[in-house]
Amino acid sequence: MMGPGSNTQAPLFAGGRPGTLKLVVLLALAIMLMLADRQRGFLVAVRERAATLTAPVYWLASLPLAGIEAIHLAARDRDALANENRALREALLAAQTELHQRRSEGEAHARVLALVEATRRQAVAGTLVRLVDLDLDPFRHRLLLDRGSDAGLARGDGLIDAFGVVGQVSAAGANSAFAILITDPSHALPVEVSRNGVKSIAYGTGDATRLALPNLPLSVDLSVGDRLLTTAVGGRFPAGIPVGEITAVERPTDAAFAIAYARPLSGLGRNRELLAVKPIEWIGPPEPTLPPGRSTPLPSAVDQEP
Amino acid sequence: MRMLRGNYRMFLIAVALSLLFALLPLPTWLAVMKPMSLALVLTYFALEAPEIAGLGHAFVLGLVADVLYGSLLGEHALRMVILVYLTLRFRHRLRFFPIWQQAGAVFALLLNDRVLDLWIRMMSGSSWPPLLFWLSPMVGMAVWPWVFLLLDGLRLRRRQAQRERH
């Protein structure tokens, strides 16, 4: 082994004694990279290319869990499986029945809408994606998906599950993509109260059970139990998808605005199958001309972090 | 020279395993306690084999971690460079500490790493993390003696095997 004093001219990738100059250079480089990454657009391509290389690593890291699941499945006895099968079939039947009822309601609804020439509603079409069960960072509200740009995913695609809005794709590689949850503090989503159409924006709080709706007028007609739906504003999600349920409305007497909290209705990261929906085409007034450097047409429904 | 190469291979394997370990899915209550495994491995090699674990390697491995964990590009690189720099700086003192005292020093290093992490998060507009955020350095301190003994044992065994071959 080399002594600490023996390497007077340390090459970049070795060296016993830390060189202050090297430290300063590397730190500056790291900070520059971070700033460039934050300005987005610049490093997205690099990141997405790298994402292709990381796919095998993710696969490797998820092997232990997959193994445990396989053993678990194999060890479960037949009775339990048969029971589960029966329960699922019953649930399917119930859902089918309800679907039929809904279909007729839907037709009636469509006729009424056509009569009053209300907003056109797009049919939801999307790509089914699965979550890769990996821990990225328990303190950040991130997800890893098993599909990427090869399957048509792109930055800004919305993610929904059977119960509501989950999040948005924040970066798409060829075979994998990162997504942020609606509970991420950097996420904002335009919403509408289903009962009376009051519009607001739901911000993530960093708490997986809470969304915040700040800056509401004190007189806002909102009460606990109201359901929040997506609106077409922002263009990322089809209108009318459940987002959350109001759990508290605070009207401080000494403040100018009321604030409400909502509980997300979707399973967030718990449901493994998600639907990725494309941003809808722009309807409405023409896009405002943007100052250079800003890539997003609206301040809403956009994550501010890569 | 050959020993260096052997050490190098072991360094790469240990680093790869530590990167994988951080990705391992765990229940949430366990996941928040997960120690920063890459930091532990880098600290060990900076202490015992500084000719391998230099600042350049810390930087590149930090970038790899950034790509894998989807964090801000350069975030882990910055943190790992600072960690390795501090370790190398106080290497001569740290090496002769008894192991429990060394664990204390590792706690300080990991805590500093967490503070840097928090600072970067604040800069990029995140809110204050929950209290559990600070648990990981403590777990890191608790597992340090075992990490140290494991890696040291492996390195010693390899060296003995090489000596016998000659």
Side-chain angles (χ1 to χ4, degrees), chain A residues 182-259:
Chain A
I182 52 171
T183 50
D184 187 291
S186 59
H187 193 274
L189 180 71
V191 291
E192 175 179 52
V193 178
S194 68
R195 183 165 55 84
N196 52 17
V198 168
K199 291 188 173 57
S200 177
I201 293 178
Y203 293 90
T205 57
D207 177 349
T209 60
R210 222 152 73 133
L211 296 169
L213 285 71
N215 305 334
L216 296 166
L218 281 173
S219 61
V220 67
D221 177 16
L222 202 61
S223 52
V224 173
D226 279 352
R227 281 163 71 91
L228 301 174
L229 308 176
T230 55
T231 71
V233 180
R236 294 291 172 91
F237 290 95
I241 295 173
V243 175
E245 197 176 70
I246 298 288
T247 52
V249 184
E250 286 169 17
R251 300 174 207 265
T253 45
D254 55 345
F257 294 103
I259 179 166

Side-chain angles (χ1 to χ4, degrees), chain A:
Chain A
M1 200 187 283
M2 277 189 278
S6 66
N7 44 349
T8 40
Q9 36 176 325
L12 187 65
F13 288 94
R17 185 177 292 171
T20 319
L21 178 69
K22 204 156 81 176
L23 175 78
V24 171
V25 169
L26 288 178
L27 289 188
L29 208 61
I31 290 174
M32 261 151 54
L33 265 177
M34 277 194 279
L35 290 178
D37 199 14
R38 231 176 116 43
Q39 288 304 313
R40 70 164 70 260
F42 186 66
L43 284 179
V44 168
V46 179
R47 190 182 278 282
E48 292 185 345
R49 196 119 341 126
T52 340
L53 296 176
T54 54
V57 182
Y58 293 143
W59 175 77
L60 209 62
S62 65
L63 271 188
L65 189 84
I68 291 170
E69 267 182 2
I71 291 169
H72 188 71
L73 200 67
R76 240 185 331 168
D77 57 296
R78 252 185 105 252
D79 273 1
L81 283 175
N83 276 337
E84 195 183 316
N85 193 312
R86 194 175 317 128
L88 283 175
R89 228 178 300 168
E90 273 169 25
L92 179 69
L93 197 67
Q96 285 278 344
T97 320
E98 207 177 314
L99 198 65
H100 286 309
Q101 288 171 346
R102 287 288 151 83
R103 197 166 293 154
S104 60
E105 279 174 25
E107 280 161 10
H109 188 66
R111 278 197 298 275
V112 174
L113 278 185
L115 268 180
V116 296
E117 285 193 319
T119 342
R120 285 154 288 169
R121 255 197 220 198
Q122 282 91 348
V124 178
T127 324
L128 193 68
V129 292
R130 282 177 67 101
L131 287 186
V132 181
D133 218 340
L134 286 180
D135 249 333
L136 293 177
D137 184 340
F139 296 106
R140 264 181 240 205
H141 300 247
R142 296 287 162 82
L143 297 174
L144 186 66
L145 309 174
D146 73 336
R147 294 289 167 81
S149 48
D150 282 358
L153 256 66
R155 211 177 85 77
D157 284 3
L159 290 170
I160 56 183
D161 71 5
F163 306 99
V165 176
V166 173
Q168 280 186 51
V169 175
S170 60
N175 298 309
S176 65
F178 287 107
I180 69 169
L181 295 177
I182 52 171
T183 50
D184 187 291
S186 59
H187 193 274
L189 180 71
V191 291
E192 175 179 52
V193 178
S194 68
R195 183 165 55 84
N196 52 17
V198 168
K199 291 188 173 57
S200 177
I201 293 178
Y203 293 90
T205 57
D207 177 349
T209 60
R210 222 152 73 133
L211 296 169
L213 285 71
N215 305 334
L216 296 166
L218 281 173
S219 61
V220 67
D221 177 16
L222 202 61
S223 52
V224 173
D226 279 352
R227 281 163 71 91
L228 301 174
L229 308 176
T230 55
T231 71
V233 180
R236 294 291 172 91
F237 290 95
I241 295 173
V243 175
E245 197 176 70
I246 298 288
T247 52
V249 184
E250 286 169 17
R251 300 174 207 265
T253 45
D254 55 345
F257 294 103
I259 179 166
Y261 295 102
R263 177 178 61 83
L265 285 172
S266 72
L268 294 178
R270 288 192 304 279
N271 290 328
R272 309 268 298 272
E273 272 91 17
L274 302 175
L275 197 67
V277 291
K278 283 279 162 211
I280 49 180
E281 274 168 47
W282 187 260
I283 326 168
E287 287 191 49
T289 44
L290 298 166
R294 284 203 53 111
S295 53
T296 46
L298 278 182
S300 49
V302 172
D303 50 305
Q304 283 133 35
E305 222 184 307

